[in-house]
Amino acid sequence: MGAFLLGGYSIGATIALEMSHQLTARGREVSLLVVFDGELFNTGGEISSRNPLYWLKLLLNMPAWIVDELVKNPRRFASTRLKFMAFKFRRETLHPVERFINLSAYLPDHAAFIKTLYDSYLNYVPERYPGRVLVFVAKTQALLRLRQVEAAWKKIAPSSEVFELSGTHGSIMKKPNGVPVAEHLSEKIEEVIRRTDQASASPEQAIR
């Protein structure tokens, strides 16, 4: 039975992290954990929204946000703006996940599952992770919320390799922004395979 290579995008990265913990606790090897702009909460590495630095970072991010959201995709920007205005007037009755997901498009049971999953995600407290982690991070933040992906992963996995990508959380997995993701990930997977082959070929390395 060989080692695992796990990964997840957005909330899926947190699920992959917990899977890695459970697998290693059972004596299995996770060669690489890949994070695609997956935000972690409750790590202690985040900057509080009450800290002026939080808002300074968002202010410095604004030019990139204007280009990525307004200039490159005006239709999406208009749609996002309408959703924001709708949420602003109905925020007391909406679940937090409905800021970016229209739950009315789902069956009731599916919508309830999404809410429960998101609540679990926000309340999850990550444990320190000693394994190898590759973190892909979107350079462009949202307009009014700082997604502190790198800081959080560096807190629980200090040796994490971080690779910044042009684009937003939603665009880094699509062309053309997704091309560097595929290229860099391919290199890392090949590296993991080479290490595994070398360890299998050399008893001394396998012992180490």
Side-chain angles (χ1 to χ4, degrees):
M1 299 176 71
F4 287 87
L5 192 158
L6 300 177
Y9 168 67
S10 193
I11 189 174
T14 302
I15 296 173
L17 171 63
E18 180 58 27
M19 289 174 63
S20 298
H21 277 304
Q22 294 192 25
L23 284 168
T24 53
R26 296 181 182 184
R28 301 301 303 274
E29 179 186 356
V30 178
S31 297
L32 181 65
L33 173 61
V34 184
V35 176
F36 300 99
D37 209 43
E39 191 174 12
L40 283 178
F41 301 101
N42 310 310
T43 67
E46 307 93 333
I47 303 172
S48 169
S49 59
R50 294 186 293 271
N51 189 324
L53 182 59
Y54 180 99
W55 297 102
L56 176 60
K57 285 179 175 289
L58 282 179
L59 181 63
L60 295 175
N61 168 74
M62 188 173 292
W65 180 87
I66 291 173
V67 171
D68 281 307
E69 293 288 353
L70 180 56
V71 177
K72 291 184 179 179
N73 200 339
R75 289 185 178 179
R76 184 177 182 275
F77 172 78
S79 173
T80 301
R81 182 62 180 172
L82 289 173
K83 288 180 181 179
F84 175 76
M85 292 302 293
F87 174 76
K88 182 178 180 181
F89 290 109
R90 297 189 297 136
R91 63 182 181 274
E92 294 182 358
T93 60
L94 290 181
H95 187 276
V97 76
E98 292 181 90
R99 296 179 183 180
F100 46 88
I101 296 179
N102 179 14
L103 293 183
S104 64
Y106 298 87
L107 294 173
D109 288 347
H110 194 175
F113 169 78
I114 293 174
K115 289 181 181 180
T116 302
L117 177 63
Y118 192 72
D119 288 339
S120 299
Y121 173 49
L122 293 180
N123 294 323
Y124 179 75
V125 180
E127 297 179 2
R128 187 177 180 84
Y129 184 72
R132 188 178 182 189
V133 183
L134 175 63
V135 184
F136 291 99
V137 182
K139 290 182 179 180
T140 303
Q141 296 284 351
L143 179 62
L144 297 176
R145 190 175 74 83
L146 187 65
R147 303 183 72 261
Q148 304 178 66
V149 177
E150 179 176 355
W153 283 96
K154 281 288 189 179
K155 181 69 176 183
I156 68 156
S159 61
S160 297
E161 299 176 69
V162 179
F163 187 63
E164 286 193 325
L165 302 164
S166 297
T168 65
H169 177 72
S171 68
I172 62 168
M173 303 298 283
K174 304 174 183 177
K175 290 183 178 180
N177 296 329
V179 174
V181 177
E183 293 175 346
H184 197 69
L185 181 58
S186 179
E187 292 176 2
K188 290 299 178 181
I189 292 176
E190 290 177 0
E191 181 183 327
V192 168
I193 293 173
R194 284 197 302 270
R195 288 187 177 185
T196 302
D197 291 343
Q198 290 173 357
S200 299
S202 172
E204 292 182 359
Q205 288 181 331
I207 293 174
R208 293 175 187 174

